[in-house]
Amino acid sequence: MAEQAIVRPTFAARYRKILLGGFAVILFFAAWQAIFLFVPFNPLFISKPSLIAAGLVDLIGSGDLFHDLAVSAVPFFIGLAAAVIVGVPLGIVMGWRPRVGYALDPLMTVFYASPLVALAPLLVIFFGVGVSGKAVIVFVLAVFPFIFNAHAGVRAVDQLLINVVRSLGGGEWDLYRMVIFPSVLPYIVASSRIAVGRALIAVLVGEFFAASEGIGYAISRFGDIFALDRMFGCILVVMVIAVVLTEGIRWAERAAFPWRTRQ
Amino acid sequence: MAETQTLDARVAALGGADAAPHRSLWRRIEPAAWGAGSFLVLLLVWQFVPYFVPLKPGTRLFFTVPSRVAATLWQMIVSGSLWAPLGVSATAFAIGLAIAIVVGLPLGILIGRSSLLNAMFDPFITAFNATPRLVFLPLLMLWLGIGLWSKVAIVFIGALFPLLINTYEGVRNGDKLLINVVRSFGAKEWDIARLVVVPNALPFIVVGLRLAIGRAVLGVVVSEFFGSQEGLGVVMVRAASGFQVDVVFAGLIVFAGLSLLMTGLVKLVEDRMTRWRPEHVNAP
Amino acid sequence: MRQATPVAGRCGLGDHDRRLQGEIRRTQENRIVRMAGYIEGRNVSLTFRPPNRAPLRALGGFDIAVEEGEFLSIVGPSGCGKSTFLNVVLGLTKPDSGEVLMHGKPIGGPGSDRAMVFQEFGLLPWRTVQHNIELGLELKKVPAEKRRATAERLVVLVGLAGFEQHYPHELSGGMKQRVGLARALATDPDVLLMDEPFAALDAQTRDLMQAELLRIWREARKTVLFVTHQIDEAIYLSDRVVVMSKRPGRAKKVFAIDLPRPREYEMRVTPEFNDLKLEIWNTLKDEIVA
């Protein structure tokens, strides 16, 4: 046993995947930058990493970027919070009370399957182009993942564990505390990952439609005025935010629920 | 004690739906009855809201009832005003989805079988999958113009990643034991792919296809809202700004119907293909 | 060169035991003299090097010699490398050092002269019983009618007539392993490798399958290399039993099982059987790390 403990894999072997991935990303940007040494560069059609970086520095320096992000963040978080507050209890009730589940499940499936984003024009006109309109779109798109996963989480509660806790003298509250919440919670966190993605779409849709500020508005306006360096910059910022949010939740899932590792 | 007993009953009901072999007729149709009932109630309530709730004139502009939506939809179908825009939308959907399948499946298998490609592609797949495809729309409109191809591109990007990722997961999930079994009978890499990897990945791929269809429909709708001059999405936006709420809902129903129809078809194919699976094992 | 078999009778044994062991040694020596060396493992060592984890020495100088037509069992503690050795014989894994010979020739890869029965059955879930049995023949490009004829014959041999068109998930564990056995026999190999084939079955099914295996072995006349962690099973089935040390695995001791064949279930309660069982247990128990 001792001999096995001492032998450690090399640094390169341990971090092979991360190193290769990082290398690929650097390679991609380097190739992007270098390709214009060979093909003519048309700033009205494409940008390159050096210009994008400069554009981003500008946007950060002037404070425009943070202003737009802050404007977009408000409806994003309001809509998400509303989706959690409505979706989770609804899903739990649907799972716990079979008849409620029977009644609402087909309805929810149809809503979830339909491209509800198609209602966006209506919602924008009805609720206005400000925070409330965007927040409602966010809510409409993000609420269904919470409903479905909370529902699935309750249904996945293990009868055996309930019997175990009860046989050890646990009461109703102990069941909730020791079995039901821990088994539903991972589902809800997992659904927040999906919901975040949909909420981002919602914010962008709302801001593409009609807005005077916000990150979605910035992207579409920079496109209109052919400021491609800034447009690419903003797109990259959205990509980074999206990755950080979804991967962050994934990381939190692994950290908070280590017993659920799929590998 | 009474409390725990009701809890018992509730817990039993959770898993009970598929347990008892001798169920009465009512027990068997109960879920469907509740589902249909709730639909009916929703429609009725919606229909009769105007009779009970006084609507302000401003709100009434945005309000419609199911009967009016149905009438409008019917009108659009018989007058033919639905078909031309729907055809435009369907074309973009079909081309984009087809390219996504042609690119996504082989790439997914390749990345699933090679850890080097996997490591190098991973950051890009993660980034593009997490990002709403919509942010590329202004760029794509700039590159491809307003019209068919920018829509196709959005549909393609949206549908590609669920297909790619699910194929890849399915291939990676390839049962080590089964691979060893066929290798022990002298199978080469091609036989392994044919006999184990692909059949094993098929349920994953089908799930990917279902997701891809949903995203493709979404892609069509959204790109038509902003970057197009024809198509069903365009009809809906115009109707919204003209306060023709019935038309917006009619369009939504058409899109939802198509989405459900397509995923239903995939499900049908899936059921036929996976007769070998035990009933209670569902694709992830 | 082949190393000498480890000497028996080191620890405190009763007179009876010592006499028994003496007999075992004699038989062994006799066999070594006339041994053709049908399958020979010489000083086989193998270390696994999983990424991101410490390397694992599975085999450390394992020696073995199997006779043609012999039923030989390998018993050992969990993780001692018994299954690894079978994979080496099968040709799926290459040893770091040492060699495994069959007919005096080194094993280069999988071949149709060997076939494995796997512990977890390893049936392709999307294939019916018949098509699972045909798998090896299909890969050997045997024509369809011939494959079907072979499958039909084997289905009867393993007692699964009528289940040809069933999918694996519709079968019980014992039936699945019958399919696994039929599949291994389909390519008509000289050697059957069996990797704890009955470990996933319940006790009664296991007893039944052991008797079935002996019947099929009598009919098919194969050399069998059988890995198990059940001493009873090893004695009941085998001509000889090799006890392995804990990881990295070596052959610790070889026992000849000179019990008459055909063997009946009652044989398991005879004093001879129990003496052997105790003997093997005493050899094995020091190697078990609980």
Side-chain angles (χ1 to χ4, degrees), chain B residues 46 58 61 76 109 119 124 177-178 185 192 270-271:
Chain B
W46 186 7
L61 253 179
M76 286 167 76
I109 293 176
F124 298 102
L177 172 65
L178 295 185
F185 285 108
I192 293 172
E270 180 186 9
D271 287 345

Side-chain angles (χ1 to χ4, degrees), chain A residues 16-18 20-25 27-28 44-46 95-100 102-104 106-107 109-111 113-122 125-126 141 154-155 157-159 162-163 166 170-172 175-176 180 197 200-201 204-206 208-209 219-220 223-224 226 228 231-232 235 238-240 242-243 246-247 250 262-263, chain B residues 3-4 6-8 10-15 17-18 26-27 30-32 34-36 38-39 42 58-59 62 115-116 118-124 126-140 142-144 168-169 172 214 217-218 221-222 225-226 236-237 240-245 248-249 251-252 255-256 259-260 263 284:
Chain A
R16 178 173 179 273
K17 196 166 173 190
I18 296 168
L20 276 171
F23 171 71
V25 171
L27 196 70
F28 172 77
L44 296 183
F45 192 72
I46 184 93
W96 205 229
R97 296 280 175 188
R99 292 207 171 118
V100 180
Y102 295 152
L104 295 185
L107 214 57
T109 308
V110 167
F111 283 144
S114 33
L116 283 176
V117 85
L119 286 181
L122 214 57
I125 293 168
F126 192 78
L141 285 194
V154 175
R155 288 174 58 97
V157 169
D158 191 343
Q159 168 76 66
I162 289 197
N163 287 343
R166 186 161 318 128
E172 175 102 11
L175 287 183
Y176 277 100
I180 295 169
L200 282 172
I201 297 181
L204 289 173
V205 168
F208 279 2
F209 254 114
I219 291 174
S220 112
D224 289 344
F226 291 98
L228 268 91
M231 183 186 185
F232 268 106
I235 291 176
V238 173
M239 289 180 86
V240 168
V243 171
T246 51
E247 292 303 300
R250 216 188 284 273
R262 285 220 230 138
Q263 276 76 21
Chain B
E3 190 53 42
T4 40
T6 53
L7 195 65
D8 252 343
R10 267 180 272 161
V11 171
L14 288 179
D18 38 45
W26 168 242
R27 286 291 300 279
E30 191 184 354
W34 279 96
S38 69
F39 257 106
L42 182 80
T59 313
F62 293 99
S115 70
L116 176 76
N118 174 16
M120 294 190 64
F121 273 90
D122 191 54
F124 298 102
T126 309
F128 277 92
N129 188 47
T131 311
R133 272 67 49 191
L134 195 58
V135 338
F136 303 110
L137 185 63
L139 186 65
L140 291 167
L142 211 67
W143 282 350
L144 301 169
Y168 153 84
E169 289 284 348
R172 296 262 301 180
V217 171
L218 211 70
V221 176
V222 170
F225 280 179
F226 306 110
M236 288 169 71
V237 182
S241 47
F243 300 112
Q244 294 170 281
V245 183
V248 178
F249 275 102
L252 179 66
F255 273 128
S259 199
L260 287 173
T263 47

